[in-house]
Amino acid sequence: MRADVRAAVTHLDAPFSVLDLDAAIENAQSMTRRAEGTPIRLASKSIRIRELIRRVLELPGYQGILAFNLDEAMWLVESGTCDDVLVAYPSANRESLHRLLCDVHFRDCITLMVDSVEHLNFIDAVVPPQERGSVRVCIDLDASLEVGPVHIGALRSPIRSADHLRSFVRSILARQGFDIVGVMAYEGQIAGTTDTSPAVAVMKSVSVKELAKRREVLIRIVQEELRATGRPALEFVNGGGTGSIETTRSEEVITEIGAGSGVVGPALFDNYKTFTPTPAEWFVVPVVRRPGPNTVTVAGGGRVASGPTGKDRLPVVDWPRDLKMAALEGPGEVQTPLTGPAARNLQLGSHVWMRHAKGGEQCEWTDQVLVVSNGEIIDTWLTYRGEGKSFV
């Protein structure tokens, strides 16, 4: 953390959240350098601050948003934030789908994710194809690694084999009201797995090679089926994540990379070996107790990240150094004990700077962030929550 960022807010009473805008922009530019010309579709889930999303999208190398919710996607379009939004997850909200299907502007700007005939049937049941225009759809593929009966990666799409994909593509093409414009395959076991052991490194290496071959075959199948029916070629093939930019960009079939967490540099990335983003976002909590000479207690702190339970999902203390969680308590919703030599120099009200393990999720706890640039507070930006938006 830059000392001038701490100095900019030292006079304020905690709790509050801080964004180092200079570090965030540097991180965003570093991601495009890693991508070497492959456009990055910004993952809004990892940001959840609309003004920061807008700033990043203005940078060369960024193109469109990868949203996590259909209502979020429509809000981003309505607000003028972006007119090219891919919804990364299928929606089963009939009211939201009805809004999309009955609005030509939404249909032009937003692409829905599908991976089964059930998704197509659900959409048609909301507004029949003869009563709407065509819907832009992206096919989600299973990018996980399978070794015998062992499945390593996200449990997302059921589409893995060439035969399954070909059958699904033909099902879409045989129906009215759907345009296949993209394919997505998220390799979470590569992009989202920290480099914690030699075994993980081997798994990633094996998965990169297996997926590159399989993804090439699967994309070729989609393109062949589109050509055979006189349909336009795919507009995009999306893959990757912040943690796999280098390997994903090397695949010829990939036209864009979905990534966002690297902009704010959450604690999960402290354990990656191929890149090192600069921490750019913190939540600052106050010391409120002193249980002992080497222990302080701060208010709050229990912001645990989603994913498999483990130490890498816990927030980390970034400042002061030499403070750690109490082993028998950990981070708590209302208080968190911290132990270490640095505790001796802390007073009631002293700031303790903490980072969330994953990008974006900590914004669910706060309405706004203080924006620091060149050592000064330059603005206060609302989070999604601060704008009254909670997308589930």
Side-chain angles (χ1 to χ4, degrees):
M1 173 199 316
R2 309 172 206 240
D4 63 348
V5 175
R6 293 198 308 276
V9 299
T10 189
H11 61 289
L12 299 176
D13 284 339
F16 52 83
S17 294
V18 177
L19 173 71
D20 180 348
L21 180 59
D22 302 327
I25 296 301
E26 287 177 9
N27 287 336
Q29 293 170 333
S30 174
M31 289 165 63
T32 60
R33 288 192 294 270
R34 291 170 58 204
E36 293 188 351
T38 301
I40 295 177
R41 185 179 289 272
L42 186 63
S44 60
K45 181 177 78 72
S46 302
I47 308 292
R48 303 190 211 192
I49 302 168
R50 195 159 56 88
E51 180 60 22
L52 180 57
I53 290 172
R54 189 186 68 78
R55 296 283 184 106
V56 173
L57 287 177
E58 290 177 345
L59 298 174
Y62 285 87
Q63 180 178 296
I65 289 176
L66 182 64
F68 62 97
N69 182 281
L70 177 53
D71 285 329
E72 177 207 14
M74 291 188 287
W75 175 59
L76 292 172
V77 170
E78 280 182 314
S79 64
T81 306
C82 186
D83 61 3
D84 175 12
V85 186
L86 169 62
V87 185
Y89 304 90
S91 176
N93 187 300
R94 294 176 178 84
E95 182 178 351
S96 300
L97 284 168
H98 191 274
R99 283 191 66 205
L100 171 83
L101 297 172
C102 294
D103 189 305
V104 64
H105 184 56
F106 284 155
R107 294 199 310 270
D108 288 344
C109 296
I110 296 171
T111 303
L112 297 178
M113 192 67 64
V114 295
D115 63 34
S116 68
V117 172
E118 287 81 359
H119 287 146
L120 309 179
N121 293 340
F122 195 94
I123 292 168
D124 281 347
V126 174
V127 178
Q130 61 270 21
E131 297 179 16
R132 65 167 199 259
S134 291
V135 182
R136 295 168 55 86
V137 295
C138 174
I139 298 174
D140 197 4
L141 305 179
D142 177 19
S144 61
L145 175 66
E146 290 189 352
V147 182
V150 179
H151 180 103
I152 304 174
L155 294 169
R156 293 168 63 104
S157 169
I159 302 175
R160 183 176 183 85
S161 71
D163 288 344
H164 190 168
L165 176 60
R166 184 177 287 105
S167 174
F168 183 51
V169 171
R170 290 177 177 176
S171 295
I172 299 175
L173 296 176
R175 303 173 73 130
Q176 179 185 352
F178 295 97
D179 292 331
I180 302 173
V181 299
V183 173
M184 177 178 176
Y186 171 60
E187 55 267 38
Q189 72 281 4
I190 305 168
T193 303
T194 56
D195 298 316
T196 53
S197 70
V200 169
V202 170
M203 180 277 292
K204 285 188 174 185
S205 177
V206 170
S207 187
V208 165
K209 295 175 183 177
E210 185 276 334
L211 178 58
K213 293 178 181 178
R214 181 160 53 90
R215 189 150 45 189
E216 181 180 12
V217 170
L218 295 178
I219 298 305
R220 186 167 61 245
I221 287 172
V222 179
Q223 298 284 32
E224 288 173 352
E225 293 296 328
L226 291 173
R227 280 196 301 270
T229 55
R231 309 296 177 91
L234 291 172
E235 294 179 15
F236 63 86
V237 177
N238 182 287
T242 296
S244 66
I245 289 176
E246 289 83 358
T247 56
T248 306
R249 67 142 198 260
S250 66
E251 297 183 37
E252 290 187 7
V253 298
I254 293 294
T255 68
E256 63 178 40
I257 298 169
S261 293
V263 173
V264 296
L268 198 64
F269 290 143
D270 292 351
N271 298 312
Y272 280 70
K273 294 180 179 179
T274 56
F275 66 100
T276 307
T278 301
E281 189 175 29
W282 301 264
F283 60 96
V284 183
V285 288
V287 172
V288 293
R289 282 179 172 171
R290 180 179 292 283
N294 287 325
T295 304
V296 294
T297 301
V298 297
R303 306 183 186 185
V304 180
S306 60
T309 303
K311 291 184 67 175
D312 64 352
R313 305 292 154 162
L314 302 181
V316 301
V317 178
D318 230 27
W319 186 268
R321 298 186 179 91
D322 300 322
L323 282 180
K324 61 182 181 180
M325 306 282 179
L328 297 181
E329 290 196 49
E333 180 185 10
V334 293
Q335 72 167 38
T336 300
L338 302 170
T339 64
R344 290 181 175 273
N345 299 319
L346 298 178
Q347 309 297 324
L348 294 185
S350 291
H351 292 174
V352 173
W353 293 62
M354 303 181 77
R355 287 159 60 218
H356 200 277
K358 296 182 73 173
E361 292 184 7
Q362 88 106 1
C363 288
E364 296 299 322
W365 293 79
T366 185
D367 291 341
Q368 61 189 29
V369 295
L370 299 174
V371 184
V372 176
S373 178
N374 293 320
E376 296 183 357
I377 299 174
I378 63 166
D379 209 343
T380 299
W381 289 349
L382 296 176
T383 63
Y384 278 17
R385 170 177 149 163
E387 295 202 66
K389 303 297 181 180
S390 179
F391 301 108
V392 294

Short mmCIF file of all heavy atoms in Angstrom, two decimals, residues 248-311:
data_model
loop_
_atom_site.label_atom_id
_atom_site.label_comp_id
_atom_site.label_asym_id
_atom_site.label_seq_id
_atom_site.Cartn_x
_atom_site.Cartn_y
_atom_site.Cartn_z
N THR A 248 -4.94 -18.16 -21.85
CA THR A 248 -6.16 -18.05 -22.65
C THR A 248 -5.89 -17.29 -23.95
O THR A 248 -6.38 -17.67 -25.02
CB THR A 248 -7.26 -17.35 -21.85
OG1 THR A 248 -7.46 -18.04 -20.61
CG2 THR A 248 -8.57 -17.34 -22.62
N ARG A 249 -5.13 -16.21 -23.87
CA ARG A 249 -4.89 -15.39 -25.06
C ARG A 249 -4.12 -16.16 -26.13
O ARG A 249 -4.17 -15.82 -27.31
CB ARG A 249 -4.12 -14.12 -24.70
CG ARG A 249 -2.69 -14.40 -24.22
CD ARG A 249 -1.69 -13.36 -24.72
NE ARG A 249 -0.35 -13.90 -24.61
CZ ARG A 249 0.51 -13.64 -23.63
NH1 ARG A 249 0.18 -12.84 -22.64
NH2 ARG A 249 1.71 -14.20 -23.65
N SER A 250 -3.40 -17.23 -25.72
CA SER A 250 -2.58 -17.98 -26.68
C SER A 250 -3.41 -18.87 -27.60
O SER A 250 -2.90 -19.38 -28.60
CB SER A 250 -1.55 -18.84 -25.94
OG SER A 250 -2.19 -19.85 -25.19
N GLU A 251 -4.67 -19.09 -27.28
CA GLU A 251 -5.54 -19.92 -28.11
C GLU A 251 -6.10 -19.10 -29.27
O GLU A 251 -6.69 -18.03 -29.06
CB GLU A 251 -6.69 -20.49 -27.28
CG GLU A 251 -6.25 -21.42 -26.16
CD GLU A 251 -7.43 -22.01 -25.42
OE1 GLU A 251 -8.45 -22.31 -26.08
OE2 GLU A 251 -7.36 -22.16 -24.19
N GLU A 252 -5.95 -19.59 -30.47
CA GLU A 252 -6.38 -18.84 -31.66
C GLU A 252 -7.89 -18.63 -31.71
O GLU A 252 -8.36 -17.63 -32.27
CB GLU A 252 -5.92 -19.57 -32.92
CG GLU A 252 -4.41 -19.54 -33.14
CD GLU A 252 -4.02 -20.12 -34.48
OE1 GLU A 252 -4.93 -20.44 -35.28
OE2 GLU A 252 -2.80 -20.27 -34.73
N VAL A 253 -8.65 -19.55 -31.13
CA VAL A 253 -10.11 -19.42 -31.22
C VAL A 253 -10.66 -18.34 -30.29
O VAL A 253 -11.79 -17.88 -30.46
CB VAL A 253 -10.82 -20.77 -30.93
CG1 VAL A 253 -10.43 -21.81 -31.95
CG2 VAL A 253 -10.54 -21.23 -29.50
N ILE A 254 -9.88 -17.95 -29.29
CA ILE A 254 -10.34 -16.96 -28.31
C ILE A 254 -10.32 -15.56 -28.94
O ILE A 254 -9.32 -15.13 -29.50
CB ILE A 254 -9.46 -16.98 -27.05
CG1 ILE A 254 -9.64 -18.29 -26.28
CG2 ILE A 254 -9.77 -15.79 -26.15
CD1 ILE A 254 -11.02 -18.48 -25.70
N THR A 255 -11.44 -14.84 -28.84
CA THR A 255 -11.50 -13.47 -29.35
C THR A 255 -11.58 -12.45 -28.23
O THR A 255 -11.38 -11.25 -28.47
CB THR A 255 -12.72 -13.28 -30.26
OG1 THR A 255 -13.92 -13.38 -29.48
CG2 THR A 255 -12.74 -14.33 -31.37
N GLU A 256 -11.90 -12.88 -26.99
CA GLU A 256 -11.95 -11.96 -25.87
C GLU A 256 -11.77 -12.72 -24.56
O GLU A 256 -12.02 -13.93 -24.49
CB GLU A 256 -13.28 -11.19 -25.84
CG GLU A 256 -14.49 -12.09 -25.65
CD GLU A 256 -15.79 -11.30 -25.56
OE1 GLU A 256 -15.95 -10.33 -26.32
OE2 GLU A 256 -16.65 -11.67 -24.71
N ILE A 257 -11.29 -12.00 -23.55
CA ILE A 257 -11.05 -12.59 -22.24
C ILE A 257 -11.94 -11.90 -21.22
O ILE A 257 -12.00 -10.67 -21.16
CB ILE A 257 -9.56 -12.43 -21.84
CG1 ILE A 257 -8.67 -13.17 -22.83
CG2 ILE A 257 -9.32 -12.93 -20.41
CD1 ILE A 257 -7.19 -12.85 -22.68
N GLY A 258 -12.64 -12.68 -20.42
CA GLY A 258 -13.45 -12.13 -19.35
C GLY A 258 -12.62 -11.98 -18.09
O GLY A 258 -12.08 -12.96 -17.58
N ALA A 259 -12.47 -10.77 -17.58
CA ALA A 259 -11.62 -10.55 -16.40
C ALA A 259 -12.00 -9.24 -15.73
O ALA A 259 -12.51 -8.33 -16.37
CB ALA A 259 -10.14 -10.53 -16.80
N GLY A 260 -11.74 -9.17 -14.42
CA GLY A 260 -12.05 -7.94 -13.69
C GLY A 260 -11.38 -7.81 -12.35
O GLY A 260 -11.02 -6.73 -11.91
N SER A 261 -11.20 -8.95 -11.64
CA SER A 261 -10.66 -8.90 -10.29
C SER A 261 -9.29 -8.24 -10.22
O SER A 261 -8.96 -7.58 -9.23
CB SER A 261 -10.55 -10.32 -9.71
OG SER A 261 -11.82 -10.89 -9.52
N GLY A 262 -8.50 -8.43 -11.27
CA GLY A 262 -7.15 -7.88 -11.25
C GLY A 262 -7.12 -6.37 -11.16
O GLY A 262 -6.08 -5.79 -10.80
N VAL A 263 -8.22 -5.70 -11.47
CA VAL A 263 -8.26 -4.24 -11.38
C VAL A 263 -8.08 -3.78 -9.94
O VAL A 263 -7.36 -2.81 -9.66
CB VAL A 263 -9.57 -3.69 -11.96
CG1 VAL A 263 -9.69 -2.19 -11.73
CG2 VAL A 263 -9.67 -4.01 -13.46
N VAL A 264 -8.73 -4.47 -9.00
CA VAL A 264 -8.65 -4.05 -7.59
C VAL A 264 -7.64 -4.85 -6.79
O VAL A 264 -7.32 -4.49 -5.66
CB VAL A 264 -10.04 -4.12 -6.92
CG1 VAL A 264 -10.99 -3.13 -7.58
CG2 VAL A 264 -10.62 -5.52 -6.94
N GLY A 265 -7.11 -5.94 -7.34
CA GLY A 265 -6.05 -6.69 -6.69
C GLY A 265 -6.42 -7.26 -5.33
O GLY A 265 -5.77 -6.96 -4.33
N PRO A 266 -7.46 -8.10 -5.26
CA PRO A 266 -7.87 -8.68 -3.97
C PRO A 266 -6.83 -9.63 -3.42
O PRO A 266 -5.89 -10.03 -4.11
CB PRO A 266 -9.17 -9.40 -4.31
CG PRO A 266 -9.02 -9.77 -5.76
CD PRO A 266 -8.26 -8.64 -6.38
N ALA A 267 -7.02 -10.03 -2.15
CA ALA A 267 -6.01 -10.82 -1.46
C ALA A 267 -5.78 -12.19 -2.07
O ALA A 267 -4.70 -12.76 -1.92
CB ALA A 267 -6.41 -10.97 0.02
N LEU A 268 -6.78 -12.73 -2.76
CA LEU A 268 -6.63 -14.05 -3.36
C LEU A 268 -5.45 -14.08 -4.34
O LEU A 268 -4.80 -15.11 -4.50
CB LEU A 268 -7.92 -14.44 -4.08
CG LEU A 268 -8.14 -15.92 -4.42
CD1 LEU A 268 -8.24 -16.74 -3.15
CD2 LEU A 268 -9.39 -16.09 -5.26
N PHE A 269 -5.16 -12.95 -4.97
CA PHE A 269 -4.09 -12.91 -5.95
C PHE A 269 -2.70 -12.81 -5.33
O PHE A 269 -1.70 -12.83 -6.05
CB PHE A 269 -4.30 -11.75 -6.94
CG PHE A 269 -5.46 -11.96 -7.87
CD1 PHE A 269 -6.27 -10.90 -8.25
CD2 PHE A 269 -5.75 -13.22 -8.36
CE1 PHE A 269 -7.34 -11.09 -9.10
CE2 PHE A 269 -6.82 -13.43 -9.22
CZ PHE A 269 -7.61 -12.37 -9.59
N ASP A 270 -2.62 -12.70 -4.01
CA ASP A 270 -1.31 -12.69 -3.36
C ASP A 270 -0.59 -14.01 -3.55
O ASP A 270 0.64 -14.07 -3.40
CB ASP A 270 -1.47 -12.42 -1.86
CG ASP A 270 -1.95 -11.00 -1.57
OD1 ASP A 270 -1.99 -10.19 -2.51
OD2 ASP A 270 -2.29 -10.72 -0.41
N ASN A 271 -1.33 -15.06 -3.89
CA ASN A 271 -0.74 -16.40 -3.99
C ASN A 271 -0.57 -16.87 -5.43
O ASN A 271 -0.38 -18.06 -5.67
CB ASN A 271 -1.59 -17.41 -3.21
CG ASN A 271 -1.65 -17.10 -1.73
OD1 ASN A 271 -0.62 -16.85 -1.12
ND2 ASN A 271 -2.84 -17.09 -1.15
N TYR A 272 -0.65 -15.95 -6.39
CA TYR A 272 -0.39 -16.30 -7.79
C TYR A 272 1.06 -16.00 -8.14
O TYR A 272 1.63 -15.02 -7.65
CB TYR A 272 -1.33 -15.53 -8.72
CG TYR A 272 -2.72 -16.11 -8.82
CD1 TYR A 272 -3.60 -16.04 -7.75
CD2 TYR A 272 -3.16 -16.73 -9.97
CE1 TYR A 272 -4.88 -16.56 -7.82
CE2 TYR A 272 -4.43 -17.27 -10.06
CZ TYR A 272 -5.29 -17.17 -8.99
OH TYR A 272 -6.56 -17.70 -9.07
N LYS A 273 1.63 -16.82 -8.99
CA LYS A 273 3.05 -16.66 -9.33
C LYS A 273 3.29 -15.95 -10.66
O LYS A 273 4.37 -15.43 -10.89
CB LYS A 273 3.73 -18.04 -9.36
CG LYS A 273 3.77 -18.73 -8.00
CD LYS A 273 4.45 -20.09 -8.09
CE LYS A 273 4.51 -20.77 -6.71
NZ LYS A 273 5.14 -22.11 -6.79
N THR A 274 2.30 -15.94 -11.54
CA THR A 274 2.53 -15.41 -12.89
C THR A 274 2.27 -13.92 -13.02
O THR A 274 2.65 -13.31 -14.01
CB THR A 274 1.64 -16.16 -13.91
OG1 THR A 274 0.27 -16.05 -13.49
CG2 THR A 274 2.04 -17.63 -13.99
N PHE A 275 1.63 -13.32 -12.03
CA PHE A 275 1.36 -11.88 -12.07
C PHE A 275 1.15 -11.36 -10.65
O PHE A 275 0.81 -12.14 -9.75
CB PHE A 275 0.14 -11.57 -12.93
CG PHE A 275 -1.14 -12.11 -12.35
CD1 PHE A 275 -2.00 -11.30 -11.66
CD2 PHE A 275 -1.47 -13.45 -12.51
CE1 PHE A 275 -3.17 -11.80 -11.12
CE2 PHE A 275 -2.64 -13.97 -11.97
CZ PHE A 275 -3.50 -13.13 -11.28
N THR A 276 1.34 -10.07 -10.46
CA THR A 276 1.20 -9.49 -9.13
C THR A 276 0.51 -8.13 -9.24
O THR A 276 1.18 -7.10 -9.43
CB THR A 276 2.57 -9.31 -8.44
OG1 THR A 276 3.27 -10.55 -8.46
CG2 THR A 276 2.39 -8.84 -7.00
N PRO A 277 -0.81 -8.08 -9.13
CA PRO A 277 -1.48 -6.78 -9.14
C PRO A 277 -1.18 -6.01 -7.87
O PRO A 277 -0.88 -6.59 -6.82
CB PRO A 277 -2.96 -7.15 -9.24
CG PRO A 277 -3.06 -8.52 -8.64
CD PRO A 277 -1.76 -9.20 -8.98
N THR A 278 -1.27 -4.70 -7.96
CA THR A 278 -1.08 -3.84 -6.79
C THR A 278 -2.40 -3.72 -6.04
O THR A 278 -3.43 -3.42 -6.66
CB THR A 278 -0.63 -2.43 -7.23
OG1 THR A 278 0.59 -2.54 -7.96
CG2 THR A 278 -0.42 -1.53 -6.02
N PRO A 279 -2.42 -3.96 -4.74
CA PRO A 279 -3.67 -3.78 -3.99
C PRO A 279 -4.23 -2.37 -4.22
O PRO A 279 -3.50 -1.39 -4.14
CB PRO A 279 -3.25 -3.98 -2.54
CG PRO A 279 -2.06 -4.88 -2.62
CD PRO A 279 -1.33 -4.45 -3.86
N ALA A 280 -5.52 -2.31 -4.52
CA ALA A 280 -6.12 -1.01 -4.85
C ALA A 280 -7.41 -0.73 -4.08
O ALA A 280 -7.98 0.35 -4.23
CB ALA A 280 -6.41 -0.94 -6.36
N GLU A 281 -7.86 -1.67 -3.25
CA GLU A 281 -9.13 -1.47 -2.55
C GLU A 281 -9.04 -2.07 -1.15
O GLU A 281 -8.54 -3.18 -0.98
CB GLU A 281 -10.28 -2.11 -3.33
CG GLU A 281 -11.66 -1.77 -2.81
CD GLU A 281 -12.77 -2.34 -3.68
OE1 GLU A 281 -12.55 -3.38 -4.34
OE2 GLU A 281 -13.85 -1.75 -3.71
N TRP A 282 -9.54 -1.33 -0.17
CA TRP A 282 -9.49 -1.78 1.23
C TRP A 282 -10.78 -1.40 1.94
O TRP A 282 -11.49 -0.48 1.53
CB TRP A 282 -8.35 -1.08 1.99
CG TRP A 282 -6.98 -1.30 1.44
CD1 TRP A 282 -6.05 -2.22 1.83
CD2 TRP A 282 -6.36 -0.55 0.38
NE1 TRP A 282 -4.91 -2.10 1.09
CE2 TRP A 282 -5.07 -1.09 0.18
CE3 TRP A 282 -6.77 0.51 -0.43
CZ2 TRP A 282 -4.19 -0.60 -0.77
CZ3 TRP A 282 -5.91 1.00 -1.38
CH2 TRP A 282 -4.63 0.45 -1.55
N PHE A 283 -11.05 -2.10 3.03
CA PHE A 283 -12.01 -1.60 4.01
C PHE A 283 -11.22 -1.34 5.29
O PHE A 283 -10.38 -2.14 5.70
CB PHE A 283 -13.20 -2.54 4.22
CG PHE A 283 -12.88 -3.92 4.71
CD1 PHE A 283 -12.96 -4.24 6.05
CD2 PHE A 283 -12.54 -4.93 3.80
CE1 PHE A 283 -12.71 -5.53 6.50
CE2 PHE A 283 -12.28 -6.22 4.24
CZ PHE A 283 -12.37 -6.52 5.60
N VAL A 284 -11.45 -0.18 5.87
CA VAL A 284 -10.68 0.29 7.02
C VAL A 284 -11.59 0.24 8.25
O VAL A 284 -12.69 0.79 8.24
CB VAL A 284 -10.17 1.72 6.78
CG1 VAL A 284 -9.30 2.17 7.97
CG2 VAL A 284 -9.36 1.78 5.48
N VAL A 285 -11.12 -0.44 9.27
CA VAL A 285 -11.91 -0.62 10.49
C VAL A 285 -11.16 -0.04 11.69
O VAL A 285 -9.92 0.00 11.69
CB VAL A 285 -12.23 -2.12 10.72
CG1 VAL A 285 -13.25 -2.61 9.72
CG2 VAL A 285 -10.97 -2.97 10.65
N PRO A 286 -11.89 0.40 12.74
CA PRO A 286 -11.23 1.04 13.87
C PRO A 286 -10.92 0.06 15.01
O PRO A 286 -11.66 -0.90 15.24
CB PRO A 286 -12.27 2.06 14.32
CG PRO A 286 -13.58 1.37 14.04
CD PRO A 286 -13.36 0.56 12.79
N VAL A 287 -9.85 0.34 15.72
CA VAL A 287 -9.57 -0.38 16.96
C VAL A 287 -10.56 0.09 18.01
O VAL A 287 -10.75 1.30 18.22
CB VAL A 287 -8.12 -0.10 17.43
CG1 VAL A 287 -7.89 -0.70 18.83
CG2 VAL A 287 -7.12 -0.67 16.43
N VAL A 288 -11.21 -0.86 18.70
CA VAL A 288 -12.20 -0.50 19.72
C VAL A 288 -11.93 -1.14 21.07
O VAL A 288 -12.57 -0.79 22.06
CB VAL A 288 -13.62 -0.88 19.25
CG1 VAL A 288 -14.04 -0.03 18.06
CG2 VAL A 288 -13.73 -2.35 18.90
N ARG A 289 -10.98 -2.08 21.14
CA ARG A 289 -10.65 -2.75 22.41
C ARG A 289 -9.17 -3.12 22.43
O ARG A 289 -8.53 -3.23 21.39
CB ARG A 289 -11.46 -4.03 22.59
CG ARG A 289 -12.89 -3.85 23.02
CD ARG A 289 -13.58 -5.19 23.15
NE ARG A 289 -14.88 -5.08 23.73
CZ ARG A 289 -15.77 -6.07 23.81
NH1 ARG A 289 -15.46 -7.26 23.31
NH2 ARG A 289 -16.94 -5.89 24.38
N ARG A 290 -8.69 -3.34 23.65
CA ARG A 290 -7.34 -3.86 23.82
C ARG A 290 -7.38 -4.97 24.88
O ARG A 290 -7.23 -4.72 26.07
CB ARG A 290 -6.39 -2.74 24.27
CG ARG A 290 -4.95 -3.20 24.47
CD ARG A 290 -4.05 -2.06 24.87
NE ARG A 290 -3.88 -1.10 23.80
CZ ARG A 290 -3.09 -1.30 22.76
NH1 ARG A 290 -2.39 -2.43 22.67
NH2 ARG A 290 -2.96 -0.39 21.83
N PRO A 291 -7.62 -6.21 24.44
CA PRO A 291 -7.69 -7.32 25.40
C PRO A 291 -6.36 -7.63 26.08
O PRO A 291 -6.34 -8.26 27.14
CB PRO A 291 -8.13 -8.50 24.53
CG PRO A 291 -8.76 -7.88 23.33
CD PRO A 291 -7.99 -6.64 23.09
N GLY A 292 -5.25 -7.23 25.47
CA GLY A 292 -3.93 -7.50 26.04
C GLY A 292 -2.90 -6.64 25.36
O GLY A 292 -3.18 -5.96 24.35
N PRO A 293 -1.67 -6.62 25.86
CA PRO A 293 -0.64 -5.73 25.30
C PRO A 293 -0.32 -6.00 23.84
O PRO A 293 0.05 -5.08 23.11
CB PRO A 293 0.57 -5.99 26.20
CG PRO A 293 0.30 -7.29 26.87
CD PRO A 293 -1.17 -7.38 27.02
N ASN A 294 -0.46 -7.24 23.37
CA ASN A 294 -0.17 -7.60 21.99
C ASN A 294 -1.43 -7.93 21.19
O ASN A 294 -1.36 -8.58 20.15
CB ASN A 294 0.79 -8.78 21.92
CG ASN A 294 2.20 -8.39 22.31
OD1 ASN A 294 2.64 -7.28 22.04
ND2 ASN A 294 2.90 -9.29 22.98
N THR A 295 -2.58 -7.50 21.69
CA THR A 295 -3.84 -7.82 21.02
C THR A 295 -4.75 -6.59 21.01
O THR A 295 -4.88 -5.90 22.02
CB THR A 295 -4.57 -8.97 21.74
OG1 THR A 295 -3.71 -10.10 21.81
CG2 THR A 295 -5.84 -9.36 21.00
N VAL A 296 -5.34 -6.34 19.85
CA VAL A 296 -6.39 -5.33 19.74
C VAL A 296 -7.61 -5.98 19.10
O VAL A 296 -7.51 -7.01 18.44
CB VAL A 296 -5.94 -4.12 18.90
CG1 VAL A 296 -4.83 -3.36 19.59
CG2 VAL A 296 -5.54 -4.53 17.49
N THR A 297 -8.74 -5.34 19.32
CA THR A 297 -9.97 -5.80 18.67
C THR A 297 -10.51 -4.66 17.81
O THR A 297 -10.60 -3.52 18.27
CB THR A 297 -11.03 -6.20 19.71
OG1 THR A 297 -10.50 -7.24 20.54
CG2 THR A 297 -12.28 -6.71 19.04
N VAL A 298 -10.83 -5.00 16.56
CA VAL A 298 -11.40 -4.00 15.66
C VAL A 298 -12.88 -4.27 15.47
O VAL A 298 -13.35 -5.40 15.65
CB VAL A 298 -10.69 -4.01 14.29
CG1 VAL A 298 -9.22 -3.63 14.44
CG2 VAL A 298 -10.82 -5.37 13.59
N ALA A 299 -13.62 -3.22 15.12
CA ALA A 299 -15.05 -3.37 14.87
C ALA A 299 -15.26 -3.96 13.49
O ALA A 299 -14.76 -3.44 12.50
CB ALA A 299 -15.74 -2.01 14.97
N GLY A 300 -16.00 -5.07 13.42
CA GLY A 300 -16.28 -5.73 12.15
C GLY A 300 -15.07 -6.51 11.66
O GLY A 300 -14.22 -6.94 12.44
N GLY A 301 -15.02 -6.70 10.35
CA GLY A 301 -13.91 -7.43 9.76
C GLY A 301 -14.27 -8.77 9.16
O GLY A 301 -13.50 -9.34 8.39
N GLY A 302 -15.45 -9.30 9.50
CA GLY A 302 -15.80 -10.65 9.06
C GLY A 302 -16.37 -10.72 7.66
O GLY A 302 -17.49 -11.20 7.46
N ARG A 303 -15.63 -10.29 6.70
CA ARG A 303 -16.10 -10.28 5.31
C ARG A 303 -15.44 -11.45 4.57
O ARG A 303 -14.41 -11.30 3.92
CB ARG A 303 -15.79 -8.94 4.65
CG ARG A 303 -16.34 -7.77 5.46
CD ARG A 303 -16.12 -6.44 4.80
NE ARG A 303 -16.54 -5.33 5.67
CZ ARG A 303 -16.54 -4.06 5.33
NH1 ARG A 303 -16.15 -3.71 4.11
NH2 ARG A 303 -16.92 -3.12 6.18
N VAL A 304 -16.05 -12.61 4.70
CA VAL A 304 -15.50 -13.84 4.14
C VAL A 304 -15.97 -14.01 2.70
O VAL A 304 -17.14 -13.79 2.39
CB VAL A 304 -15.92 -15.04 5.00
CG1 VAL A 304 -15.35 -16.34 4.43
CG2 VAL A 304 -15.45 -14.84 6.45
N ALA A 305 -15.05 -14.41 1.84
CA ALA A 305 -15.35 -14.52 0.41
C ALA A 305 -16.08 -15.82 0.09
O ALA A 305 -16.02 -16.81 0.82
CB ALA A 305 -14.06 -14.44 -0.40
N SER A 306 -16.76 -15.83 -1.05
CA SER A 306 -17.45 -17.01 -1.53
C SER A 306 -16.44 -18.04 -2.02
O SER A 306 -15.29 -17.72 -2.32
CB SER A 306 -18.41 -16.64 -2.66
OG SER A 306 -17.69 -16.06 -3.75
N GLY A 307 -16.89 -19.28 -2.14
CA GLY A 307 -16.01 -20.34 -2.61
C GLY A 307 -15.80 -21.38 -1.53
O GLY A 307 -16.38 -21.31 -0.45
N PRO A 308 -14.96 -22.39 -1.81
CA PRO A 308 -14.71 -23.45 -0.83
C PRO A 308 -14.07 -22.89 0.43
O PRO A 308 -13.16 -22.04 0.36
CB PRO A 308 -13.75 -24.41 -1.55
CG PRO A 308 -13.11 -23.57 -2.61
CD PRO A 308 -14.16 -22.59 -3.04
N THR A 309 -14.54 -23.33 1.58
CA THR A 309 -14.04 -22.82 2.85
C THR A 309 -12.54 -23.06 2.98
O THR A 309 -12.04 -24.15 2.75
CB THR A 309 -14.77 -23.50 4.02
OG1 THR A 309 -16.17 -23.28 3.87
CG2 THR A 309 -14.30 -22.94 5.34
N GLY A 310 -11.81 -22.01 3.35
CA GLY A 310 -10.36 -22.13 3.52
C GLY A 310 -9.78 -20.79 3.90
O GLY A 310 -10.44 -19.74 3.81
N LYS A 311 -8.53 -20.78 4.32
CA LYS A 311 -7.89 -19.55 4.76
C LYS A 311 -7.80 -18.53 3.63
O LYS A 311 -7.78 -17.31 3.87
CB LYS A 311 -6.49 -19.85 5.30
CG LYS A 311 -6.50 -20.62 6.61
CD LYS A 311 -5.09 -20.80 7.15
CE LYS A 311 -4.47 -19.49 7.56
NZ LYS A 311 -3.14 -19.65 8.20
#
